[in-house]
Amino acid sequence: KPYAKVLGYCHSTGCPVLLDYVMAHGDAAFAGFIFNSPFLDWGMAGRPLSKLVVMRLPELFFRLRLWTNDTELLGGGGASAWALQTWSQYRFDPACRPLYTVPVTIGFCRGINATHAELRRRSRAGEAITRKPFLVFTSMHDDVLEGDELAVAAHAIGPSRTLIQMCHARHDVFVSAEPSVVEQALASLRMWLVSQGFPPTKSSK
């Protein structure tokens, strides 16, 4: 149905996907954004040697025609410990969120690296991706990426940002292990929504 305001919401890899869309088409369709642990840096893979592999080699070997976009940098298959741990608490549909390890392909790396590079380029040029208000959740003990790096990288999105760094949340802060952490994340989200005037007023219901 036609909503008065539309908020863009994304988690992890969904964040560079949404930002890539906004960079290409603008933010006119959205009143604001919520980013849940946005994949804006390679995080735990971001050690010197690992960073060289995921950020440099895919594009180099692709141009040399040694790899294709379908080449698997890391193979998939087998149960995902992270997914099973989360599923043990939150019974989601495996058809929507797999319980097995998904391959990391060269095409995936190239796509992520291109979006990251464009974010950095626009940040250096002082070009905001959006001037709409946006909320960013990160976690100091993120079990997939590095929360501190995500918080720093999020500054490139735009000036109207609110950054909330939680202490003991999972990579997906809304499915954290402790109910109190989830409640804290939801309470912070509600507070931000109210502060931005996003909930409907009585006259608009």
Side-chain angles (χ1 to χ4, degrees), residues 10-20 34-40:
C10 50
H11 164 60
S12 194
T13 304
C15 298
V17 172
L18 177 57
L19 288 172
D20 187 64
I34 300 166
F35 299 103
N36 175 3
S37 297
F39 179 17
L40 302 179

Side-chain angles (χ1 to χ4, degrees), residues 115-130:
T115 300
H116 287 179
E118 181 61 12
L119 283 169
R120 291 192 296 269
R121 186 196 70 78
R122 294 196 181 202
S123 178
R124 289 192 299 268
E127 302 174 9
I129 308 304
T130 180

Side-chain angles (χ1 to χ4, degrees), residues 14-199:
C15 298
V17 172
L18 177 57
L19 288 172
D20 187 64
Y21 174 87
V22 172
M23 287 190 290
H25 302 284
D27 62 1
F30 304 96
F33 301 89
I34 300 166
F35 299 103
N36 175 3
S37 297
F39 179 17
L40 302 179
D41 191 282
W42 281 98
M44 293 180 181
R47 301 300 168 255
L49 181 58
S50 300
K51 207 154 202 172
L52 172 66
V53 171
V54 298
M55 293 183 65
R56 304 300 180 192
L57 294 190
E59 189 62 32
L60 174 62
F61 282 17
F62 179 83
R63 290 180 179 275
L64 293 175
R65 298 185 179 182
L66 298 175
W67 288 345
T68 68
N69 281 328
D70 294 330
T71 302
E72 294 183 4
L73 188 62
L74 294 175
S80 166
W82 190 93
L84 288 173
Q85 182 185 51
T86 305
W87 187 80
S88 70
Q89 291 183 281
Y90 303 94
R91 295 301 178 92
F92 53 83
D93 183 354
C96 299
R97 192 172 198 167
L99 294 173
Y100 55 87
T101 302
V102 179
V104 176
T105 65
I106 296 305
F108 173 81
C109 293
R110 294 181 66 235
I112 290 296
N113 288 335
T115 300
H116 287 179
E118 181 61 12
L119 283 169
R120 291 192 296 269
R121 186 196 70 78
R122 294 196 181 202
S123 178
R124 289 192 299 268
E127 302 174 9
I129 308 304
T130 180
R131 295 190 178 277
K132 303 285 180 68
F134 65 93
L135 173 65
V136 178
F137 280 104
T138 63
S139 174
M140 291 176 62
H141 294 90
D142 190 312
D143 47 354
V144 176
L145 299 173
E146 292 285 357
D148 290 341
E149 294 178 358
L150 304 186
V152 172
H155 284 71
I157 299 173
S160 302
R161 56 187 173 270
T162 300
L163 305 179
I164 297 178
Q165 187 170 50
M166 306 185 68
C167 290
H168 304 295
R170 276 189 176 129
H171 179 52
D172 185 340
V173 299
F174 297 117
V175 293
S176 295
E178 297 295 332
S180 60
V181 176
V182 177
E183 291 170 6
Q184 180 187 356
L186 291 172
S188 299
L189 173 58
R190 294 189 194 100
M191 185 182 303
W192 180 79
L193 290 171
V194 171
S195 72
Q196 300 300 324
F198 286 127

